[in-house]
Amino acid sequence: EAGVAQSPRYKIIEKRQSVAFWCNPISGHATLYWYQQILGQGPKLLIQFQNNGVVDDSQLPKDRFSAERLKGVDSTLKIQPAKLEDSAVYLCASSLDAWGNEKLFFGSGTQLSVL
Amino acid sequence: QKEVEQDPGPLSVPEGAIVSLNCTYSNSAFQYFMWYRQYSRKGPELLMYTYSSGNKEDGRFTAQVDKSSKYISLFIRDSQPSDSATYLCAMSAFPGGGADGLTFGKGTHLIIQP
């Protein structure tokens, strides 16, 4: 079974630039998550999708971050404009059921460096 | 006080030793407890998943939950160099985190010396 796919693996940008990350969850998984993991910290939930609807985005800095999940499959996370403190690994995860009640499977993440 | 406290280490032990990793938490609503292993430049991989208090064993790994003390542990027996990684505890009030997602500790960096 293929895992959660993310791209790119690494991205280096200057502050105030924009950047986008892509995630393809495990086939058939209804729930998709974006987590932010700052160096030395545990992952923190940014946004959760149930199929193509947002379940929770209360921790997403909406003035600069946006995310969408088209057709309930792939998802993109965008930052515009980026700040130095956005340097982190952005992890995508998916779970089978539509209520976030199943185990999560994580991708390898996109490591973002903002200079 | 953070919701989940975990000593970041590093914790260095010789090969074959028993390793004990721990987390404490403050939210009494947490009922689902997980341990993830994260290798460098990889995403977290689920190791153990337990509900409420008690023990769960899987091969060389044993997870313990003591809800009365708000304390969880992961034991690794006969540790191997391949166990060297960061171990993250995670917990939630719902099986997969529900709408709030999982709450993670900072992770403990474990080094097994050959």
Side-chain angles (χ1 to χ4, degrees), chain A residues 66-111:
Chain A
S66 64
E68 61 181 4
R69 188 181 185 195
L70 298 175
K71 300 180 181 179
V73 183
D74 293 5
S75 177
T76 56
L77 176 69
K78 296 179 182 177
I79 308 175
Q80 182 179 13
K83 292 185 175 181
L84 297 177
E85 59 261 36
D86 298 331
S87 294
V89 176
Y90 290 85
L91 294 162
C92 179
S94 68
S95 66
L96 181 61
D97 85 341
W99 297 273
N101 287 330
E102 290 286 339
K103 300 170 187 177
L104 271 63
F105 295 87
F106 284 86
S108 293
T110 295
Q111 183 170 333

Side-chain angles (χ1 to χ4, degrees), chain B residues 25-73:
Chain B
Y25 64 95
S26 58
N27 189 342
S28 58
F30 290 151
Q31 296 195 75
Y32 297 88
F33 304 92
M34 289 136 270
W35 286 94
Y36 283 83
R37 178 175 62 194
Q38 187 172 26
Y39 291 115
S40 181
R41 305 184 194 283
K42 295 288 189 181
E45 170 196 12
L46 183 64
L47 270 182
M48 300 291 283
Y49 181 94
T50 55
Y51 168 69
S52 196
S53 288
N55 294 357
K56 182 175 182 178
E57 187 174 322
D58 184 1
R60 297 184 296 110
F61 299 90
T62 299
Q64 286 186 354
V65 175
D66 182 350
K67 287 188 67 182
S68 63
S69 301
K70 297 188 176 68
Y71 187 87
I72 70 170
S73 301

Side-chain angles (χ1 to χ4, degrees), chain A residues 9-10 33 35 37 40-45 48 55-56 59 91 99-109 111, chain B residues 2 8 36 38 40-46 49 56 86 88 94-107:
Chain A
R9 286 300 311 275
Y10 306 94
Y33 311 78
Y35 279 81
Q37 186 175 22
Q41 304 284 327
K44 183 187 82 171
L45 180 67
Q48 179 183 168
V55 173
D56 180 62
Q59 298 195 72
L91 294 162
W99 297 273
N101 287 330
E102 290 286 339
K103 300 170 187 177
L104 271 63
F105 295 87
F106 284 86
S108 293
Q111 183 170 333
Chain B
K2 292 188 182 299
Y36 283 83
Q38 187 172 26
S40 181
R41 305 184 194 283
K42 295 288 189 181
E45 170 196 12
L46 183 64
Y49 181 94
K56 182 175 182 178
T86 296
L88 296 152
F94 304 97
D100 295 332
L102 300 177
T103 300
F104 284 86
K106 288 185 175 183

Side-chain angles (χ1 to χ4, degrees), chain A residues 15-35:
Chain A
K15 59 183 180 184
R16 292 188 288 273
Q17 286 186 324
S18 63
V19 63
F21 314 126
W22 173 83
C23 172
N24 181 236
I26 294 173
S27 177
H29 279 199
T31 305
L32 184 147
Y33 311 78
W34 284 101
Y35 279 81

